[in-house]
Amino acid sequence: MGGQSVVALNWIYFMNAYSFLLGRNPKHQSLMPSSFLAGLILLGLAVNDALADLPQLSMPAFVVEGSGTLSNAGKLFASPASSNVVFFLQSSDPASLTVPATVSLASGQTNVSFDLVAGDNSIADGDRLVTITASNPAFANAVANIKILDDDPDHIVFGAVSPLVDTNSGQGLMVKAVKADGSLQTNFSRGLTIVAQGLEGVLPVTPTNVVLYQGQAYASFQVLAAGHAVCLRALEYPGQSDPYTVV
């Protein structure tokens, strides 16, 4: 438990005990000397000062997986020191979110910003929580949690195809990146490599790349060679269109 939690809990326990005694015997209220009440006020102020002096981390509530470098997205606050102070930073899941090894507060400085780097694994593994810790032997640890929002779909869905088309014609299809439950993966905004394959093998198709925005895109696909049981699919994720014939 961090130092700020211990100080806060001690204060809460003390006040709860004081309130309990007064509740059991209200006449004690009139017997409490003003010096004691003044002491309570001073203790409360001391607790507030102690909490304010402890280092604190400020982080975004969430980060989308694969966002890359987020400049100055993290910030460490601490009371001004008389000399430079180095804090060590650590991520509980460096593959998902990376932080610098250290940050330095210059003499008299009260905060310092640092970059966050959101990694990407191209696996539909769901949202996850990453804990960032700032430590220095002379201070209590500062801790903050960030939710990493998964951007990968479970599979790709193609819209309904025409059962028969010719090589001179294309057909417009909606392409969607969806989660395992079938809902749209709106965090997915990137390109997919499209291939066409039939009983004859891989067939030439245009376009070969479709860029989805917030999990979906509309594109007109044209298979340039005749084939049977032709299906469109993306190389990066499972899922394919219904089969159709190209003449």
Side-chain angles (χ1 to χ4, degrees):
M1 181 180 294
Q4 60 266 49
S5 299
V6 173
V7 173
L9 285 176
N10 285 341
W11 171 247
I12 292 171
Y13 292 155
F14 179 82
M15 290 306 298
N16 284 343
Y18 170 63
S19 299
F20 174 76
L21 288 174
L22 292 185
R24 292 291 298 272
N25 198 344
K27 69 179 183 179
H28 286 170
Q29 297 180 32
S30 61
L31 300 178
M32 287 293 174
S34 59
S35 58
F36 181 75
L37 295 177
L40 288 179
I41 295 173
L42 290 176
L43 178 58
L45 294 175
V47 170
N48 288 337
D49 289 342
L51 293 175
D53 287 342
L54 292 171
Q56 298 180 23
L57 280 172
S58 174
M59 299 283 176
F62 61 87
V63 170
V64 177
E65 180 185 64
S67 297
T69 300
L70 305 172
S71 299
N72 298 322
K75 183 171 285 190
L76 173 69
F77 295 89
S79 57
S82 56
S83 60
N84 294 351
V85 179
V86 176
F87 284 87
F88 298 91
L89 299 181
Q90 186 175 13
S91 168
S92 64
D93 185 359
S96 296
L97 192 70
T98 304
V99 293
T102 61
V103 291
S104 297
L105 276 171
S107 177
Q109 191 176 8
T110 59
N111 64 83
V112 60
S113 298
F114 53 91
D115 295 345
L116 304 175
V117 181
D120 193 8
N121 57 15
S122 298
I123 300 172
D125 50 1
D127 300 343
R128 50 208 177 274
L129 203 64
V130 175
T131 300
I132 305 300
T133 304
S135 62
N136 179 292
F139 298 88
N141 289 354
V143 177
N145 294 320
I146 306 177
K147 178 179 282 190
I148 306 299
L149 303 180
D150 190 17
D151 71 334
D152 292 295
D154 178 76
H155 59 281
I156 303 300
V157 173
F158 291 83
V161 299
S162 299
L164 180 66
V165 297
D166 62 64
T167 56
N168 296 317
S169 304
Q171 57 176 326
L173 302 177
M174 182 66 74
V175 182
K176 295 183 178 182
V178 299
K179 302 178 183 179
D181 63 3
S183 62
L184 192 66
Q185 175 53 283
T186 56
N187 294 325
F188 187 83
S189 295
R190 70 177 76 167
L192 294 174
T193 304
I194 305 297
V195 297
Q197 188 163 6
L199 297 179
E200 295 78 8
V202 177
L203 304 173
V205 63
T206 183
T208 57
N209 185 270
V210 175
V211 178
L212 276 63
Y213 176 68
Q214 293 185 347
Q216 58 187 336
Y218 183 85
S220 180
F221 297 98
Q222 183 178 359
V223 178
L224 304 175
H228 298 83
V230 177
C231 293
L232 301 173
R233 63 183 178 88
L235 290 180
E236 293 83 358
Y237 300 95
Q240 63 182 28
S241 72
D242 290 334
Y244 62 99
T245 301
V246 181
V247 294

